[in-house]
């Protein structure tokens, strides 16, 4: 397939391939039917985290958070706002670092909230601390 994009479904983990030109048409997951690029923040676990961050073509921003973390909860609506604003250009996900401690240990995460931007299957940049949506948007756009 020419100019094929690979996107992991953040909901079920299915690897999807589709022509890059179809990105604007709202491609859906071949397995569960979820829109692959919908502007929502999707909660992911260990396996989907690794698959999506290591293989996906489209930039992916992951919010590393925990339920006990006040600043994380404060930032959640700001993160969601940025996800809507950047719909179609990047995808947004969040992972609970308390539930998935192996992930945060491997990434050597010392403090949360922490955002990590991935693109082309590798880590591109980090942004730490609770941020307003404008900061999150600027951070992502800087690396698009
Ligand atoms: Zn799916």
């Amino acid at each position: 397939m020419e100019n094929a994009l690979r996107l992991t479904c953040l909901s079920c983990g299915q690897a999807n391939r589709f022509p890059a030109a179809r990105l604007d048409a709202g491609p859906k997951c071949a397995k569960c039917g979820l829109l692959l690029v919908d502007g929502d923040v999707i909660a992911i676990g260990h396996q989907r985290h690794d698959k999506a961050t290591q293989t996906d073509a489209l930039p992916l921003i992951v919010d590393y958070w925990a339920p006990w973390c006040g600043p994380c909860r404060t930032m959640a609506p700001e993160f969601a706002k940025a996800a809507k604003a950047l719909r179609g250009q990047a995808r947004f996900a969040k992972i609970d670092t308390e539930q998935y401690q192996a992930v945060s240990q491997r990434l050597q995460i010392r403090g949360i909230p922490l955002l990590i931007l991935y693109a082309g299957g590798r880590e591109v940049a980090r942004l730490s601390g609770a941020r307003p949506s404008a900061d999150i948007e600027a951070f992502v756009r800087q690396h698009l």
Side-chain angles (χ1 to χ4, degrees):
M1 208 186 286
E2 226 171 293
N3 281 323
L5 275 184
R6 186 190 154 116
L7 277 187
T8 304
C9 175
L10 295 178
S11 178
C12 77
Q14 170 77 21
N16 291 271
R17 278 182 173 280
F18 56 90
R22 270 194 51 214
L23 189 59
D24 291 338
K28 288 180 182 168
C29 173
K31 191 172 167 191
C32 74
L34 189 92
L35 279 171
L36 289 169
V37 186
D38 64 358
D40 284 340
V41 177
I42 299 178
I44 54 175
H46 195 153
Q47 283 188 330
R48 275 174 284 149
H49 172 279
D50 287 359
K51 208 166 167 185
T53 58
Q54 290 165 13
T55 61
D56 281 8
L58 206 67
L60 173 71
I61 298 93
V62 182
D63 175 13
Y64 297 84
W65 74 291
W68 50 260
C69 161
C72 297
R73 293 197 303 270
T74 306
M75 191 176 75
E78 299 296 315
F79 190 63
K81 220 187 280 179
K84 290 263 183 290
L86 290 162
R87 176 186 176 160
Q89 298 175 70
R91 296 200 300 171
F92 286 66
K94 61 176 181 178
I95 185 164
D96 181 341
T97 56
E98 190 175 81
Q99 195 178 350
Y100 300 102
Q101 289 181 11
V103 173
S104 58
Q105 274 167 19
R106 194 187 65 217
L107 294 170
Q108 300 185 317
I109 293 173
R110 306 256 179 270
I112 52 172
L114 173 74
L115 302 181
I116 301 183
L117 171 64
Y118 299 89
R122 63 183 187 85
E123 179 178 330
V124 174
R126 294 187 179 203
L127 182 70
S128 58
R131 308 278 184 156
S133 63
D135 281 16
I136 299 168
E137 257 191 77
F139 164 70
V140 177
R141 288 192 195 283
Q142 203 183 333
H143 298 285
L144 284 181

